[in-house]
Coordinates of all heavy atoms in Angstrom, one line a residue:
M1 N 76.6 149.0 116.1 CA 75.8 150.0 117.0 C 76.8 150.6 118.1 O 77.6 149.9 118.6 CB 74.9 149.2 117.9 CG 74.0 149.8 118.8 SD 72.7 148.7 119.5 CE 72.1 149.5 120.8
S2 N 76.7 151.9 118.1 CA 77.6 152.7 119.1 C 77.0 153.0 120.4 O 75.8 153.4 120.4 CB 78.1 153.9 118.3 OG 78.9 154.6 119.2
I3 N 77.5 152.7 121.5 CA 77.2 153.1 122.7 C 77.7 154.3 123.3 O 79.0 154.5 123.1 CB 77.5 151.8 123.9 CG1 76.8 150.6 123.3 CG2 77.1 152.3 125.1 CD1 77.2 149.4 124.1
S4 N 77.0 155.2 123.7 CA 77.6 156.5 124.2 C 78.4 156.4 125.5 O 78.1 155.4 126.2 CB 76.5 157.5 124.4 OG 75.7 157.3 125.5
V5 N 79.3 157.3 125.7 CA 80.1 157.3 126.9 C 79.3 157.5 128.2 O 79.5 156.8 129.2 CB 81.3 158.4 126.7 CG1 82.0 158.4 128.0 CG2 82.3 158.0 125.6
E6 N 78.3 158.3 128.0 CA 77.4 158.4 129.1 C 76.7 157.3 129.5 O 76.5 157.0 130.7 CB 76.3 159.7 128.6 CG 75.4 160.1 129.7 CD 74.5 161.2 129.4 OE1 74.8 162.0 128.6 OE2 73.3 161.2 130.0
Q7 N 76.3 156.4 128.6 CA 75.6 155.1 129.0 C 76.7 154.3 129.6 O 76.3 153.5 130.6 CB 75.2 154.4 127.7 CG 73.8 155.0 127.2 CD 73.3 154.4 125.8 OE1 74.3 154.2 125.1 NE2 72.2 154.1 125.7
L8 N 77.9 154.3 129.3 CA 78.8 153.5 129.9 C 79.1 154.0 131.3 O 79.4 153.1 132.1 CB 80.2 153.5 129.0 CG 80.0 152.7 127.7 CD1 81.4 153.0 126.8 CD2 79.9 151.3 127.8
L9 N 79.3 155.3 131.4 CA 79.5 155.8 132.8 C 78.4 155.5 133.8 O 78.5 155.3 134.9 CB 79.7 157.4 132.7 CG 80.9 157.8 132.0 CD1 80.9 159.3 131.8 CD2 82.2 157.2 132.8
K10 N 77.1 155.4 133.3 CA 76.0 155.2 134.2 C 76.1 153.7 134.4 O 75.8 153.4 135.6 CB 74.7 155.5 133.5 CG 74.3 156.9 133.2 CD 73.0 157.1 132.6 CE 72.6 158.5 132.5 NZ 71.4 158.7 131.7
K11 N 76.5 152.9 133.5 CA 76.6 151.4 133.8 C 77.7 151.2 135.0 O 77.7 150.4 135.8 CB 77.0 150.6 132.7 CG 77.1 149.1 132.8 CD 75.7 148.6 133.4 CE 75.9 147.0 133.4 NZ 74.7 146.5 134.0
M12 N 78.8 152.0 134.8 CA 80.0 151.9 135.7 C 79.5 152.3 137.1 O 79.9 151.8 138.2 CB 81.1 152.8 135.3 CG 81.8 152.2 134.1 SD 83.0 153.5 133.5 CE 84.1 153.7 134.8
E13 N 78.7 153.4 137.2 CA 78.0 153.8 138.4 C 77.4 152.7 139.2 O 77.3 152.5 140.3 CB 77.2 155.1 138.3 CG 78.0 156.3 138.1 CD 77.1 157.6 137.8 OE1 76.0 157.4 137.7 OE2 77.9 158.5 137.6
S14 N 76.4 152.0 138.4 CA 75.6 151.0 138.8 C 76.5 149.8 139.3 O 76.3 149.2 140.4 CB 74.8 150.4 137.6 OG 74.1 149.3 138.0
E15 N 77.5 149.6 138.6 CA 78.5 148.4 139.0 C 79.2 148.9 140.3 O 79.4 148.0 141.3 CB 79.4 148.0 137.9 CG 78.9 147.3 136.7 CD 78.3 146.0 137.1 OE1 78.9 145.3 137.9 OE2 77.1 145.6 136.6
L16 N 79.6 150.1 140.4 CA 80.3 150.5 141.7 C 79.3 150.4 142.8 O 79.7 150.0 143.9 CB 80.8 152.0 141.4 CG 81.5 152.7 142.6 CD1 82.6 151.8 143.0 CD2 81.8 154.1 142.3
H17 N 78.0 150.8 142.7 CA 77.1 150.7 143.7 C 77.0 149.3 144.2 O 77.0 148.9 145.4 CB 75.7 151.3 143.2 CG 74.7 151.2 144.3 ND1 74.7 152.0 145.5 CD2 73.6 150.5 144.5 CE1 73.8 151.7 146.2 NE2 72.9 150.7 145.7
K18 N 76.9 148.3 143.2 CA 76.9 146.9 143.4 C 78.2 146.3 144.3 O 77.9 145.6 145.1 CB 76.6 146.0 142.2 CG 75.2 146.3 141.4 CD 75.2 145.5 140.3 CE 74.0 145.7 139.5 NZ 73.9 145.1 138.1
A19 N 79.2 146.9 143.8 CA 80.4 146.6 144.4 C 80.5 147.0 145.9 O 81.1 146.2 146.7 CB 81.7 147.0 143.6
K20 N 80.0 148.2 146.2 CA 79.9 148.7 147.6 C 79.0 147.7 148.5 O 79.3 147.7 149.6 CB 79.6 150.1 147.6 CG 80.5 151.0 147.1 CD 80.0 152.5 147.1 CE 81.0 153.5 146.7 NZ 80.6 154.9 146.7
Q21 N 78.0 147.4 147.9 CA 77.1 146.4 148.6 C 77.4 144.9 148.6 O 76.7 144.1 149.3 CB 75.6 146.7 148.0 CG 75.2 148.1 147.8 CD 75.1 148.8 149.1 OE1 74.6 148.1 150.0 NE2 75.3 150.0 149.3
A22 N 78.4 144.5 147.8 CA 78.8 143.1 147.7 C 79.0 142.5 149.0 O 79.8 143.1 150.0 CB 80.0 143.1 146.9
E23 N 78.8 141.3 149.2 CA 79.0 140.6 150.5 C 80.2 139.9 150.5 O 81.0 139.9 151.5 CB 77.7 139.5 150.7 CG 76.4 140.2 151.0 CD 76.2 140.8 152.3 OE1 76.7 140.3 153.4 OE2 75.6 141.8 152.4
G24 N 80.5 139.2 149.5 CA 81.7 138.4 149.4 C 82.8 139.0 148.7 O 82.4 139.8 147.7
T25 N 84.1 138.5 148.6 CA 85.1 139.1 147.8 C 84.8 138.6 146.3 O 85.3 139.4 145.4 CB 86.4 138.5 148.3 OG1 86.4 137.0 148.4 CG2 86.8 139.0 149.6
A26 N 84.2 137.4 146.0 CA 84.0 136.9 144.7 C 83.1 137.9 144.1 O 83.4 138.3 142.8 CB 83.5 135.6 144.7
K27 N 82.1 138.2 144.7 CA 81.1 139.2 144.0 C 81.6 140.7 143.8 O 81.5 141.3 142.8 CB 79.8 139.4 144.9 CG 78.6 140.0 144.3 CD 78.2 139.3 143.1 CE 76.9 140.0 142.5 NZ 76.5 139.5 141.1
L28 N 82.5 141.1 144.8 CA 83.3 142.4 144.7 C 84.2 142.4 143.4 O 84.1 143.3 142.7 CB 84.0 142.6 146.0 CG 84.8 143.9 146.0 CD1 84.0 145.1 146.0 CD2 85.8 143.9 147.1
R29 N 84.9 141.2 143.3 CA 85.8 141.2 142.2 C 85.1 141.1 140.9 O 85.6 141.7 139.9 CB 86.7 139.9 142.4 CG 87.7 140.0 143.4 CD 88.5 138.7 143.6 NE 89.3 138.5 142.3 CZ 90.4 139.1 142.1 NH1 91.1 139.8 142.9 NH2 91.1 138.8 140.9
E30 N 83.9 140.5 140.8 CA 83.1 140.4 139.6 C 82.6 141.9 139.2 O 82.8 142.2 138.0 CB 81.9 139.6 139.8 CG 81.1 139.4 138.5 CD 79.7 138.6 138.9 OE1 80.0 137.5 139.7 OE2 78.8 138.8 138.4
N31 N 82.2 142.6 140.2 CA 81.8 144.0 139.8 C 83.0 144.8 139.5 O 82.8 145.8 138.5 CB 81.1 144.6 141.1 CG 79.8 143.9 141.4 OD1 79.6 143.3 142.5 ND2 78.8 143.9 140.5
V32 N 84.0 144.8 140.1 CA 85.3 145.5 139.8 C 85.7 145.2 138.5 O 86.2 146.0 137.7 CB 86.4 145.4 140.9 CG1 87.6 146.1 140.5 CG2 85.8 146.1 142.3
H33 N 85.7 143.9 138.2 CA 86.2 143.5 136.8 C 85.3 144.1 135.6 O 85.7 144.4 134.7 CB 86.1 142.0 136.7 CG 86.7 141.4 135.4 ND1 88.0 141.5 135.1 CD2 86.0 140.9 134.3 CE1 88.1 141.0 133.9 NE2 86.9 140.6 133.4
S34 N 83.9 144.2 136.1 CA 82.9 144.8 135.0 C 83.3 146.2 134.8 O 83.3 146.8 133.7 CB 81.6 144.6 135.7 OG 81.1 143.3 135.7
I35 N 83.8 146.9 136.0 CA 84.0 148.4 135.8 C 85.3 148.5 135.0 O 85.4 149.5 134.1 CB 84.3 149.0 137.3 CG1 82.9 149.0 138.0 CG2 84.9 150.3 137.3 CD1 83.0 149.3 139.6
K36 N 86.4 147.6 135.1 CA 87.5 147.6 134.4 C 87.2 147.5 132.9 O 87.7 148.2 132.0 CB 88.5 146.6 134.8 CG 89.8 146.4 134.2 CD 90.6 145.2 134.5 CE 91.7 145.1 133.5 NZ 92.3 143.8 133.6
I37 N 86.4 146.5 132.5 CA 86.0 146.3 131.1 C 85.3 147.5 130.6 O 85.7 147.9 129.5 CB 85.1 145.1 131.0 CG1 85.8 143.8 131.5 CG2 84.5 145.0 129.6 CD1 87.0 143.5 130.7
L38 N 84.5 148.2 131.4 CA 83.8 149.4 130.9 C 84.8 150.5 130.7 O 84.7 151.3 129.7 CB 82.7 149.9 131.9 CG 81.4 148.9 131.9 CD1 80.6 149.1 133.1 CD2 80.6 149.0 130.6
C39 N 85.7 150.7 131.6 CA 86.8 151.6 131.5 C 87.7 151.5 130.2 O 87.9 152.3 129.4 CB 87.8 151.6 132.5 SG 87.0 152.3 134.1
E40 N 88.0 150.1 130.0 CA 88.7 149.9 128.7 C 87.8 150.2 127.4 O 88.5 150.7 126.5 CB 89.1 148.4 128.7 CG 90.2 148.0 129.7 CD 90.4 146.5 130.0 OE1 89.8 145.7 129.3 OE2 91.4 146.2 130.7
L41 N 86.6 149.9 127.5 CA 85.8 150.3 126.3 C 85.8 151.9 126.1 O 86.0 152.3 124.9 CB 84.3 149.9 126.5 CG 84.1 148.4 126.5 CD1 82.6 148.1 126.8 CD2 84.2 148.0 125.0
I42 N 85.7 152.7 127.0 CA 85.8 154.1 127.0 C 87.2 154.4 126.4 O 87.3 155.3 125.5 CB 85.5 154.8 128.2 CG1 84.0 154.6 128.7 CG2 85.9 156.3 128.2 CD1 83.6 155.1 130.0
L43 N 88.3 153.8 126.9 CA 89.6 154.3 126.6 C 89.8 153.9 125.1 O 90.6 154.7 124.4 CB 90.6 153.7 127.5 CG 90.7 154.3 129.0 CD1 91.6 153.4 129.8 CD2 91.1 155.6 129.0
D44 N 89.5 152.7 124.8 CA 89.6 152.2 123.3 C 88.9 153.1 122.4 O 89.3 153.5 121.4 CB 89.0 150.8 123.1 CG 90.1 149.8 123.8 OD1 91.1 150.2 124.2 OD2 89.6 148.7 124.0
D45 N 87.7 153.7 122.8 CA 86.8 154.5 122.0 C 87.6 156.0 121.9 O 87.5 156.5 120.7 CB 85.5 154.7 122.6 CG 84.4 154.4 121.7 OD1 84.6 153.7 120.7 OD2 83.2 154.8 122.0
T46 N 88.1 156.5 123.0 CA 88.8 157.7 122.9 C 90.1 157.7 122.1 O 90.5 158.6 121.3 CB 89.2 158.2 124.4 OG1 89.8 157.3 125.0 CG2 87.9 158.6 125.0
E47 N 90.8 156.5 122.0 CA 92.0 156.3 121.2 C 91.7 156.4 119.8 O 92.5 156.8 119.1 CB 92.8 155.1 121.8 CG 93.5 155.2 123.1 CD 94.1 153.9 123.5 OE1 94.0 152.9 122.8 OE2 94.7 153.9 124.7
S48 N 90.6 155.8 119.5 CA 90.3 155.6 118.0 C 89.6 157.0 117.6 O 89.4 157.2 116.4 CB 89.3 154.4 117.9 OG 88.1 154.7 118.4
G49 N 89.3 157.8 118.4 CA 88.6 159.3 118.1 C 87.2 159.2 117.9 O 86.6 160.0 117.2
S50 N 86.5 158.2 118.2 CA 85.1 157.9 117.8 C 84.3 158.1 119.1 O 83.3 157.5 119.3 CB 84.8 156.7 117.2 OG 85.2 155.5 118.1
V51 N 84.8 159.0 120.0 CA 84.0 159.3 121.2 C 82.6 160.1 120.9 O 82.6 161.1 120.3 CB 84.7 160.2 122.2 CG1 84.0 160.5 123.5 CG2 85.9 159.4 122.5
R52 N 81.6 159.5 121.4 CA 80.3 160.1 121.2 C 79.5 160.4 122.5 O 79.4 159.5 123.3 CB 79.4 159.2 120.2 CG 78.0 159.7 120.0 CD 77.4 158.8 119.0 NE 76.9 157.6 119.7 CZ 75.7 157.4 120.0 NH1 74.8 158.2 119.8 NH2 75.4 156.3 120.7
G53 N 79.0 161.6 122.8 CA 78.4 161.8 124.1 C 79.2 162.0 125.2 O 78.8 161.6 126.3
L54 N 80.5 162.2 125.0 CA 81.5 162.5 126.2 C 81.0 163.7 127.0 O 81.1 164.8 126.4 CB 82.9 162.5 125.7 CG 83.9 162.6 126.9 CD1 83.9 161.3 127.6 CD2 85.4 162.8 126.3
P55 N 80.8 163.5 128.3 CA 80.3 164.8 128.9 C 81.5 165.5 129.4 O 82.6 165.0 129.3 CB 79.6 164.1 130.2 CG 80.2 162.9 130.4 CD 80.5 162.3 129.0
E56 N 81.3 166.8 129.4 CA 82.4 167.8 129.8 C 83.0 167.5 131.3 O 82.1 167.4 132.1 CB 81.7 169.2 129.6 CG 82.9 170.1 129.3 CD 82.4 171.5 129.1 OE1 81.6 171.6 128.1 OE2 82.6 172.5 129.9
V57 N 84.1 167.4 131.3 CA 84.8 167.1 132.7 C 85.2 168.4 133.3 O 86.0 169.2 132.7 CB 86.0 166.2 132.5 CG1 86.6 166.0 133.9 CG2 85.6 164.8 131.8
V58 N 84.6 168.5 134.5 CA 85.1 169.9 135.3 C 86.0 169.4 136.4 O 85.6 168.4 137.2 CB 83.9 170.5 135.7 CG1 84.2 171.7 136.6 CG2 82.9 170.8 134.6
A59 N 87.0 169.9 136.4 CA 88.0 169.6 137.6 C 87.5 170.2 138.8 O 87.2 171.4 138.9 CB 89.4 170.1 137.2
L60 N 87.4 169.4 139.9 CA 86.9 170.0 141.2 C 88.1 170.4 142.2 O 89.1 169.7 142.1 CB 86.2 168.9 142.0 CG 84.9 168.3 141.3 CD1 84.4 167.1 142.2 CD2 83.9 169.4 141.2
Q61 N 88.0 171.5 142.5 CA 89.1 172.1 143.4 C 88.8 171.7 144.8 O 87.7 171.9 145.4 CB 89.1 173.7 143.3 CG 89.5 174.2 141.9 CD 90.9 173.8 141.7 OE1 91.8 173.7 142.5 NE2 91.2 173.6 140.3
P62 N 89.7 171.0 145.5 CA 89.5 170.7 146.9 C 89.4 172.0 147.7 O 90.1 173.0 147.6 CB 90.7 169.9 147.4 CG 91.8 170.3 146.3 CD 91.0 170.7 145.0
Q63 N 88.4 172.0 148.6 CA 88.3 173.3 149.6 C 89.0 172.9 150.8 O 88.8 171.9 151.6 CB 86.8 173.6 149.7 CG 86.1 174.0 148.4 CD 84.7 174.3 148.8 OE1 84.2 174.1 149.8 NE2 84.0 174.8 147.8
I64 N 90.0 173.8 151.1 CA 90.8 173.6 152.3 C 90.3 174.6 153.4 O 90.2 175.8 153.1 CB 92.3 173.8 152.0 CG1 92.6 172.7 151.2 CG2 93.0 173.7 153.4 CD1 94.1 172.9 150.6
Q65 N 89.9 174.2 154.5 CA 89.5 175.0 155.5 C 90.5 175.2 156.6 O 91.2 174.2 157.0 CB 88.2 174.5 156.3 CG 87.0 174.6 155.6 CD 85.8 174.1 156.4 OE1 86.1 173.4 157.4 NE2 84.7 174.8 156.2
T66 N 90.9 176.4 156.9 CA 92.0 176.6 157.9 C 91.3 177.1 159.3 O 90.3 177.8 159.2 CB 92.9 177.7 157.5 OG1 92.1 178.9 157.3 CG2 93.7 177.3 156.2
I67 N 91.6 176.3 160.2 CA 90.9 176.5 161.6 C 92.0 177.3 162.4 O 93.0 176.8 162.8 CB 90.6 175.2 162.3 CG1 89.7 174.3 161.3 CG2 90.1 175.4 163.6 CD1 89.4 173.0 161.8
T68 N 91.6 178.4 162.9 CA 92.5 179.2 163.8 C 91.8 179.2 165.2 O 90.7 179.4 165.4 CB 92.6 180.7 163.3 OG1 91.3 181.2 163.2 CG2 93.3 180.8 161.9
P69 N 92.6 178.7 166.1 CA 92.2 178.7 167.5 C 91.8 180.1 168.0 O 92.4 181.0 167.7 CB 93.4 178.1 168.2 CG 94.5 178.1 167.3 CD 94.0 178.3 166.1
A70 N 90.8 180.1 168.8 CA 90.5 181.3 169.3 C 91.3 182.0 170.3 O 91.5 183.2 170.2 CB 89.1 181.1 170.2
S71 N 92.1 181.2 171.0 CA 93.0 181.8 171.9 C 94.2 180.8 172.2 O 94.1 179.5 172.3 CB 92.4 181.9 173.3 OG 93.3 182.3 174.2
L72 N 95.5 181.3 172.0 CA 96.6 180.6 172.0 C 97.3 180.9 173.4 O 98.4 180.4 173.7 CB 97.6 180.7 171.0 CG 97.2 180.3 169.6 CD1 98.0 180.6 168.4 CD2 97.0 178.7 169.5
T73 N 96.8 181.6 174.2 CA 97.3 182.0 175.4 C 97.2 180.8 176.4 O 96.2 180.2 176.5 CB 96.8 183.2 176.1 OG1 95.3 182.9 176.3 CG2 97.0 184.5 175.2
V74 N 98.3 180.6 177.2 CA 98.4 179.4 178.1 C 98.3 180.0 179.4 O 99.1 181.0 179.9 CB 99.7 178.6 177.9 CG1 99.8 177.4 179.0 CG2 99.6 177.9 176.5
K75 N 97.4 179.6 180.4 CA 97.4 180.0 181.8 C 98.2 179.3 182.6 O 98.3 178.0 182.6 CB 95.8 179.8 182.2 CG 95.6 180.5 183.4 CD 94.1 180.4 183.7 CE 93.6 181.3 184.8 NZ 92.3 181.2 185.1
K76 N 99.2 179.9 183.1 CA 100.2 179.3 184.0 C 99.8 179.0 185.4 O 98.9 179.7 186.0 CB 101.4 180.3 184.1 CG 102.1 180.5 182.8 CD 103.4 181.4 183.0 CE 104.0 181.7 181.6 NZ 105.1 182.5 181.7
L77 N 100.2 177.8 185.7 CA 99.7 177.3 187.2 C 100.7 177.9 188.1 O 101.8 178.0 187.9 CB 99.9 175.9 187.2 CG 99.5 175.2 188.5 CD1 98.0 175.5 188.9 CD2 99.8 173.7 188.3
E78 N 100.2 178.5 189.1 CA 101.0 179.2 190.1 C 100.9 178.5 191.5 O 99.8 178.2 192.0 CB 100.6 180.7 190.3 CG 100.8 181.5 189.1 CD 100.5 183.0 189.2 OE1 100.4 183.4 190.4 OE2 100.4 183.7 188.3
E79 N 102.1 177.9 192.0 CA 102.1 177.3 193.1 C 102.8 178.1 194.3 O 103.7 178.9 193.9 CB 102.8 175.9 193.1 CG 102.0 174.8 192.3 CD 100.9 174.2 193.1 OE1 101.0 174.1 194.3 OE2 99.9 173.9 192.4
E80 N 102.4 178.1 195.4 CA 103.0 178.8 196.5 C 104.5 178.5 196.9 O 105.3 179.1 197.1 CB 102.2 178.8 197.8 CG 100.9 179.6 197.6 CD 100.0 179.5 199.0 OE1 100.6 179.3 199.9 OE2 98.9 179.6 198.8
E81 N 104.8 177.2 196.8 CA 105.9 176.6 197.1 C 106.9 176.5 196.0 O 108.1 175.9 196.1 CB 105.8 175.3 197.8 CG 105.0 175.4 199.0 CD 104.7 174.1 199.7 OE1 105.3 173.0 199.2 OE2 104.0 174.0 200.7
A82 N 106.4 176.7 194.8 CA 107.3 176.6 193.5 C 108.5 177.6 193.5 O 108.2 178.8 193.9 CB 106.5 176.6 192.3
N83 N 109.6 177.3 193.0 CA 110.8 178.2 192.9 C 110.8 179.0 191.4 O 111.4 179.9 191.4 CB 112.0 177.6 193.1 CG 112.2 177.1 194.5 OD1 111.5 177.8 195.5 ND2 113.0 176.1 194.7
G84 N 110.1 178.4 190.5 CA 110.1 179.0 189.1 C 109.1 178.3 188.4 O 108.3 177.5 188.7
E85 N 109.3 178.7 186.9 CA 108.2 178.2 186.0 C 108.5 176.8 185.5 O 107.7 176.0 185.0 CB 108.1 179.1 184.8 CG 107.6 180.4 185.2 CD 107.5 181.5 183.9 OE1 107.7 181.0 182.8 OE2 107.2 182.6 184.1
S86 N 109.8 176.4 185.6 CA 110.2 175.1 185.1 C 109.8 173.8 186.0 O 109.7 174.0 187.2 CB 111.7 175.1 184.8 OG 112.2 173.8 184.4
L87 N 109.7 172.7 185.5 CA 109.4 171.5 186.2 C 110.6 171.2 187.0 O 110.6 170.5 188.0 CB 109.0 170.3 185.3 CG 107.8 170.5 184.6 CD1 107.6 169.2 183.7 CD2 106.5 170.5 185.6
F88 N 111.7 171.5 186.6 CA 113.1 171.1 187.3 C 113.4 172.1 188.3 O 114.5 172.0 189.0 CB 114.1 171.0 186.3 CG 113.8 170.0 185.2 CD1 113.5 170.4 183.9 CD2 113.7 168.6 185.5 CE1 113.2 169.4 183.0 CE2 113.5 167.6 184.7 CZ 113.1 168.0 183.3
D89 N 112.6 173.2 188.6 CA 112.9 174.2 189.7 C 112.4 173.7 191.0 O 111.1 173.4 191.0 CB 112.3 175.5 189.4 CG 113.1 176.2 188.2 OD1 114.2 175.9 188.0 OD2 112.5 177.1 187.7
F90 N 113.2 173.2 191.9 CA 112.7 172.5 193.1 C 112.7 173.5 194.2 O 113.5 174.3 194.4 CB 113.5 171.2 193.6 CG 113.3 170.3 192.5 CD1 114.3 170.0 191.5 CD2 112.1 169.4 192.6 CE1 114.1 169.0 190.6 CE2 112.0 168.4 191.6 CZ 112.9 168.2 190.6

């Protein structure tokens, strides 16, 4: 009996959800171990060339937002008794 990769991926998602909800480290390790076994099943299947139902993988491009400040001008503080712009001007 052959299990499709899609079914294995759904089971991995289920185990991942359980791992995120796990209370103790023992339960977390159990879920992560299950995910590891499922990954190995998929990898063994792909190495033997008998992959069935492998969904098409689409690479996601990270979206980078550049933030430009509205104004980079610095308003200088003017003191009546100051001799210059530097802190060291007495």
Side-chain angles (χ1 to χ4, degrees):
M1 180 176 173
S2 180
I3 300 172
S4 72
V5 174
E6 187 175 324
Q7 288 174 315
L8 292 172
L9 292 174
K10 285 181 183 177
K11 184 64 177 172
M12 286 172 60
E13 288 175 357
S14 170
E15 290 296 323
L16 179 61
H17 181 69
K18 289 178 187 177
K20 287 180 179 179
Q21 304 299 322
E23 293 288 325
T25 56
K27 189 66 177 166
L28 174 70
R29 289 182 59 85
E30 181 182 323
N31 293 119
V32 171
H33 185 71
S34 297
I35 294 170
K36 178 186 173 198
I37 298 298
L38 291 166
C39 289
E40 289 173 355
L41 284 172
I42 292 173
L43 290 173
D44 288 345
D45 239 14
T46 55
E47 287 174 1
S48 66
S50 62
V51 176
R52 185 176 68 104
L54 184 63
E56 206 173 296
V57 178
V58 178
L60 298 176
Q61 295 292 328
Q63 295 181 357
I64 301 173
Q65 284 185 330
T66 56
I67 300 173
T68 55
S71 175
L72 289 177
T73 59
V74 177
K75 194 173 190 178
K76 295 181 181 177
L77 180 63
E78 295 182 19
E79 289 284 327
E80 291 179 20
E81 298 175 4
N83 291 333
E85 295 178 9
S86 174
L87 291 174
F88 301 109
D89 291 337
F90 295 99

